[in-house]
Amino acid sequence: MSFSVSDQLKVTLFDVKKIQYKSRVIFDYVQSCCTVAYIKKGEVTTTFEGKEYVAKQGDVMIHRPHKPFNVISKTDGIHYLFNIDLKVMEEVDFFSMYPLGKVVKIRDPILYEKKFDELRSIWLQETNEYRTVQSSFLAFSLLHEVIESSKFGGKRSPNEEYITDRFNNVLHYIEKRLGENITRDELAQIYHMNPVYFSRAFKEIYGLTPMKMVKKLRLLHAKRLLETTDYTMEVIAQKCGFCDSPHFTHAFRSAFKISPSEFRKSIKNTKRGFIPTLLDK
């Protein structure tokens, strides 16, 4: 049995590029082709059909044609991406017939990056008479890696732990302002929600009200400062948003059943206990 590839599969490669950015925010973006974006560096929240996914270093995001999506990153990042239109029987989108996950963890990032560099090199050779054929073959090779990675369990679905929490931005907001006064209304405003409804929805996800979460994050930060710094109790109380040292001590003891000073002493004793063992080696 024989067949003509042109009758079965039509491929058009539009662009191959590397993107570096400080932060990235794209809302409701729609394109006429598919984008396969590999994350060389960074972490991205991508939203598709009402579901959120986290794509990390070594992952590929697949943005499908004619489907709006969001991309949000608050950190530095580098993406390797190519735009491709892939049709079966010249009219059916390949990714609708052979659906892959929105985010796929690549099984061999080093191999994928090497293949992408080959593709990028060929793509830039505009005077190369074989450029179209070679770049198409290399793009297929990258798609093969994505498909194989998905088969090997790299597909990330919205039912897995990689999904972002609905109020993930609130947690980041709190962590950056632990030493400041934070109110429920202020947190609700981030999502333009009624404070009562926001508090109820937040608790359904985390099991804590927003303000109890603020307190929890403050105490965890205080614990880290006790373990890693020599700050006084007054300084730690200030950095973690407690009005003074006695309030901080009371809250810490209530949460961990030990005072901050006792906790710090136990940490120092534990560290000293390890020293002879390490020196004996």
Side-chain angles (χ1 to χ4, degrees):
M1 179 180 176
S2 65
F3 63 90
S4 169
V5 173
S6 62
D7 288 342
Q8 298 295 321
L9 195 62
K10 179 182 178 182
V11 56
T12 306
L13 194 62
F14 293 102
D15 201 3
V16 180
K17 56 188 174 185
K18 297 182 178 181
I19 296 177
Q20 184 172 7
Y21 56 85
K22 293 294 184 182
S23 63
R24 193 166 175 81
V25 179
I26 301 174
F27 285 112
D28 292 330
Y29 188 72
V30 180
Q31 54 194 11
S32 60
C33 60
C34 176
T35 296
V36 180
Y38 171 82
I39 300 178
K40 167 70 174 177
K41 175 186 176 183
E43 181 174 312
V44 174
T45 299
T46 181
T47 306
F48 179 66
E49 294 183 338
K51 298 174 183 177
E52 287 185 340
Y53 303 79
V54 172
K56 302 180 180 180
Q57 183 175 329
D59 290 346
V60 158
M61 297 182 294
I62 301 174
H63 304 307
R64 291 167 177 78
H66 311 294
K67 300 281 188 178
F69 64 89
N70 301 337
V71 170
I72 302 172
S73 176
K74 297 184 178 180
T75 61
D76 294 357
I78 299 174
H79 291 184
Y80 294 180
L81 62 86
F82 60 95
N83 296 326
I84 189 169
D85 185 46
L86 203 53
K87 292 287 195 302
V88 179
M89 301 299 292
E90 296 191 359
E91 58 183 24
V92 181
D93 176 51
F94 174 86
F95 293 100
S96 65
M97 292 188 66
Y98 304 100
L100 295 170
K102 171 66 175 174
V103 177
V104 175
K105 183 175 180 61
I106 296 300
R107 58 178 181 166
D108 190 342
I110 294 176
L111 176 62
Y112 188 95
E113 291 175 21
K114 181 180 178 181
K115 288 179 179 290
F116 185 91
D117 284 337
E118 289 182 53
L119 172 59
R120 176 69 175 158
S121 176
I122 294 296
W123 182 256
L124 293 175
Q125 298 173 21
E126 297 184 4
T127 58
N128 181 356
E129 60 180 316
Y130 300 110
R131 172 178 178 257
T132 300
V133 173
Q134 287 181 291
S135 59
S136 295
F137 284 163
L138 287 167
F140 277 128
S141 179
L142 288 171
L143 286 173
H144 170 74
E145 285 301 311
V146 175
I147 292 169
E148 288 299 304
S149 296
S150 181
K151 285 163 57 179
F152 274 85
K155 181 178 177 180
R156 294 186 171 180
S157 72
N159 295 321
E160 295 179 349
E161 63 180 356
Y162 304 103
I163 206 71
T164 55
D165 295 313
R166 181 182 178 186
F167 298 115
N168 194 46
N169 288 343
V170 167
L171 299 183
H172 287 300
Y173 182 90
I174 295 170
E175 288 175 341
K176 290 180 180 179
R177 297 166 175 80
L178 291 174
E180 303 174 15
N181 182 44
I182 300 174
T183 66
R184 184 187 67 172
D185 289 6
E186 179 183 351
L187 298 178
Q189 185 58 37
I190 295 174
Y191 287 88
H192 306 286
M193 294 173 66
N194 175 277
V196 175
Y197 176 75
F198 164 72
S199 184
R200 188 183 304 122
F202 188 96
K203 187 175 181 180
E204 286 178 0
I205 295 175
Y206 299 106
L208 297 172
T209 65
M211 298 317 296
K212 285 186 177 180
M213 179 62 78
V214 170
K215 185 176 181 180
K216 179 180 179 179
L217 292 176
R218 281 173 170 164
L219 288 169
L220 290 175
H221 184 52
K223 209 173 183 182
R224 288 193 293 270
L225 293 178
L226 288 167
E227 291 174 342
T228 59
T229 74
D230 292 322
Y231 291 150
T232 65
M233 298 303 160
E234 288 75 14
V235 171
I236 292 177
Q238 181 182 12
K239 286 183 174 294
C240 296
F242 295 95
C243 59
D244 54 36
S245 178
H247 281 88
F248 164 55
T249 299
H250 176 73
F252 194 95
R253 185 186 290 275
S254 297
F256 302 116
K257 311 305 178 188
I258 187 174
S259 72
S261 57
E262 290 169 339
F263 175 78
R264 172 175 274 173
K265 185 177 180 180
S266 70
I267 292 297
K268 289 182 177 180
N269 289 338
T270 300
K271 289 180 179 178
R272 279 197 294 267
F274 278 112
I275 293 175
T277 305
L278 292 171
L279 292 177
D280 288 342
K281 293 182 179 181

